[in-house]
Amino acid sequence: MSADVSESAPAPAAPATRRKRRGVRRGDGLWPWAFVLPLLAGVLVFYIWPILQTAFYSFTTWGVFGGFKWSGLDNYSRLFTDPQLYRSLLNTLIYTAVVLLGVPIAAWLASLLNTPGLRFAQFYRVLFFLPYVAMPAAVALVWRMIFNGDYGILNWALSRIGITGPSWVNTPGFALAAVAVVGLWSSLGFSMIVLGAGLKNIPTELYEAAELDGASRFRQFRSITLPQLAPSVFFVIVVTTIASFQLFDLLYALLGNHNAVLPKTMSLVYYFYDAGFVQNDKGFAAAIAMVIFVLIGLVTLVQFRLQRRWTGNA
Amino acid sequence: MASFPRRALAAVAGTVAAAATLAACSSTGASTASDSDTPYSPPDASVSANLTYAVWDQTQVKAINANLAEFNKKYPNIKVNVDVTPYANYFTKLQTEASSDSLPDLFWMNGPNFQLYASNGKIEPVTGEVKAGAIDPKNYPQSLDQLYTLDGVQYGVPKDFDTIGVWVNKALFAEAGVPIPSKDWTWADLQSTATQISQKLSSKGVYGISAGMDGQTTYYNTIFQSGGSVISPDGKTSAYDDPKTQKGIQFWTDLVKSKAMPTMKQLTDTTGDQWFVSGKSAMYQGGSWARSEVAAAPIAKDVMVLPVPKGDQQATVIHGLSNVVATNSANKQAAQALQVFLASKEAQQQQGDLGAVIPAYNGTQDAFAKSMPGVDLQLFLDEVSNAKPLPVSKNTAAWNTLETNLLPDAFDGTKPVDAVLKDLTSQMNADLAKE
């Protein structure tokens, strides 16, 4: 996987070869297009078209069962003065920040698993990856029990050291923290596998050479591991950020939709769901969807810009 | 890129699907309700059609199939495909189908969603069938007929119903040494009984009473019992600012305050029915539908049931489902024939004998009353005489969310009841104004 990311690594030579490759050669014709057409059609129909439609409907007021009325910027002006939007945005950002804390943890765990001669390495790898494979609804169900204020194992453990724990999933503040911790926990496995593969790809010769030159462990980490791993780290951060911005299933399943702290805890996507499918306010929901779309686009763009400086790749 | 991460991909797909769902809702305006004055005439026995019948409860499919087998004796060429969607997704799906005029021919409808579909001309009135004498609304509890009537037009006949009662764990009463109240008990009896049990069994973490803390099973009942109401009769304004309504809410605040029942947070973590079936609460105010859950619990042998206690007056909430026909069904006549059959005494009797539901047809409910030996389930049926229909409006879901979000602060005493209700009234009125 990291190999894919670092494919763009041999940067200096790229422009020349690309220009050559792009030139139409004999026999190219329409065939390549024919091969990508099915995929392209899918992307157009299921990705691009809904986005355009949603953008259009965000400027309309929409009856419960269809029948829209052009309402210009009404939805947006309503949205940007809506405190719930900012609260949901803040919640989403906090959640994303906490889940991103999992990246260094994953890197650390991956390097532990990469220790030469580690016994049962496969077993540990499976163990850490399992949460990622489990269905979010099932994960949430189990964590709900762990977080139970009266009978949860977490509060039982806390009571052993003299702390009375709260009802985690329905106390404002704690509820978001609880969701974020589960989000972090369930993203660890994926990040670890990616970072682990990245670590494995670093040629051991580099370390041997550094060793000969008398470089310290820390120096080796700073000058070899970190830059070599950067493409993988970048990939993990981008993907985790996008996934975190779309927080919905975990929140929905962990808090339940009959939870009084929801307004204080809901994410942007939950707000979209609430507006579109609970309040039947679909034009307004389309505007929320557009805000989410633009935000994720912006954040990803910024990350790609940073990547240039950060990984040294263009 | 071989493996774009599954979760992110699923999330992207989810968002896109949601957007696509939004987009799929076509721009066709609400079609007007078809002429309700045309009397229904039963189709010829040889008519052939393929019908889809959408429902949400898998446990009732057995009884439905038995019904359909009988139906096919009359109409051998009408094929009915039963489409089960879990309740959590049922109305999201139905709404999408309604938007693109692809509703199932016949489907289950509940009170909170009924007006939305009726007022947008998505479902067919039963006026024609009633005029033709194929359906007689008098055969069903009147409060339920009322639930499926909008602006004087009836759109569905009830298929089953449920009322609310108090499930009692006799063993915990005995352990606490508290006598079991009589059937004509009052609010004060419930308050004092529950408090005593909580006090005597507190070392074991047992509470006197637990409840679902949703409108239908708990506070709507007490609101009606104190003479209040949830929404004005015309469905246009909230009645939460009525002092009588406030009294019905206050009842639960007092119970929580006296530690007779767990707090709202505890009840969100572990639901009222779970407290009861695991032997951690001596009483549970809940619906007749709790029967199957209670009967399967380890405490089943110690269970009995009481009517909801009396406040200023006796009252319980009644709700039931109905079968409705889509206005745009391609096989409307066949669908109506099925609707008529499912509303018949014969079909309802079969439902009652086979399922856990109380059939709506008067006089077919005996099987339910006897379905739990030693427990007097008859009182759920007797309560029909005091029953008030579940309060609904055109977009019930919107203000139901407000209740769920705002009322817990009142029940837990975090905020004064009157302040919460004032807030709820104004927000609910804003929502109702949009209808």
Side-chain angles (χ1 to χ4, degrees), chain B residues 221-306:
Chain B
N221 295 274
T222 49
I223 287 172
F224 291 139
Q225 286 156 13
S226 59
S229 54
V230 175
I231 189 167
S232 63
D234 63 1
K236 293 212 161 68
T237 48
S238 167
Y240 270 110
D241 53 353
D242 180 345
K244 288 178 186 159
T245 305
Q246 183 173 335
K247 199 173 161 190
I249 296 287
Q250 185 72 42
F251 174 76
W252 298 99
T253 311
D254 294 343
L255 276 176
V256 173
K257 197 175 168 196
S258 63
K259 298 197 166 64
M261 70 186 277
T263 63
M264 285 304 295
K265 279 180 184 158
Q266 288 175 295
L267 287 168
T268 312
D269 267 349
T270 313
T271 55
D273 52 329
Q274 289 169 344
W275 283 92
F276 182 72
V277 295
S278 54
K280 290 288 180 189
S281 80
M283 291 179 277
Y284 166 59
Q285 178 158 334
S288 48
W289 64 85
R291 190 208 73 105
S292 3
E293 189 193 0
V294 170
I299 54 148
K301 58 179 193 329
D302 299 319
V303 167
M304 62 172 282
V305 64
L306 287 172

Side-chain angles (χ1 to χ4, degrees), chain A residues 1 21 37 68 73 89 99 112 126 129 143 158 175 181 189 191 205 211 242 256 270 274 279-280 295 302 306-307:
Chain A
M1 180 147 332
R21 255 188 233 151
L37 192 65
F68 60 84
L73 289 169
L89 177 62
V99 175
L112 284 185
V126 170
F129 198 63
W143 277 95
L158 286 176
V181 164
S191 308
E205 295 83 42
E211 198 97 17
I242 294 178
Y270 197 100
D274 187 68
Q279 316 284 343
N280 284 324
L295 272 178
V302 168
L306 286 178
Q307 181 203 18

